[in-house]
Amino acid sequence: QVQLVESGGGLVQPGGSLRLSCTASGFTFRQYTMSWVRQGPGKGLEWVSDIKSGGETTTYIDSVKGRFTITRDDPTNTLYLQMNSLKPEDTGVYFCAKDLYDGAGLGEYDFWGQGTQVTVSS
């Protein structure tokens, strides 16, 4: 039974920080690329970041570079997204997702979490 459970979202003022967590189970977590994907109000899904198996290689959408950091802790099957200097345009539901193909960077996912709401507002 594959499960991805996000937590850590909330309401934060512009310039603030949040740390999202995603706890995975039901598959060999350490073998797969994991991603964070978000959906803002009235917007489509937007890939934010991914981290390859092993954790050495990370990528980010340009708009979050320098502000967000994706990490993973394989022994605990946990994916993280540290979000600093948050902006209103970062508002949305953040999902963690398991990439279908490890390291391929194709934007295809086979499992998703339920999402956690991030709201950046004064």
Side-chain angles (χ1 to χ4, degrees):
Q1 185 176 354
V2 173
Q3 285 191 312
L4 300 170
V5 181
E6 301 97 331
S7 62
L11 174 64
V12 65
Q13 293 186 336
S17 297
L18 286 172
R19 187 194 191 204
L20 306 183
S21 299
C22 171
T23 300
S25 61
F27 66 99
T28 309
F29 178 81
R30 67 180 181 274
Q31 295 180 353
Y32 290 93
T33 295
M34 298 294 296
S35 293
W36 287 99
V37 182
R38 68 187 179 188
Q39 185 169 28
K43 301 177 181 178
L45 292 169
E46 179 183 47
W47 168 83
V48 176
S49 181
D50 66 19
I51 183 166
K52 302 299 187 290
S53 63
E56 292 89 359
T57 303
T58 60
T59 54
Y60 302 89
I61 192 171
D62 285 346
S63 63
V64 309
K65 288 180 179 177
R67 300 189 296 118
F68 290 11
T69 303
I70 187 171
T71 57
R72 66 192 297 157
D73 184 51
D74 288 344
T76 60
N77 289 359
T78 306
L79 177 72
Y80 300 98
L81 186 67
Q82 178 67 47
M83 305 186 295
N84 299 326
S85 301
L86 283 161
K87 303 175 180 180
E89 52 262 44
D90 295 318
T91 293
V93 179
Y94 283 68
F95 302 91
C96 71
K98 174 186 173 294
D99 284 32
L100 180 62
Y101 304 108
D102 182 52
L106 296 176
E108 298 184 54
Y109 316 100
D110 56 358
F111 295 99
W112 298 71
Q114 83 289 348
T116 185
Q117 176 70 43
V118 172
T119 302
V120 185
S121 180
S122 298

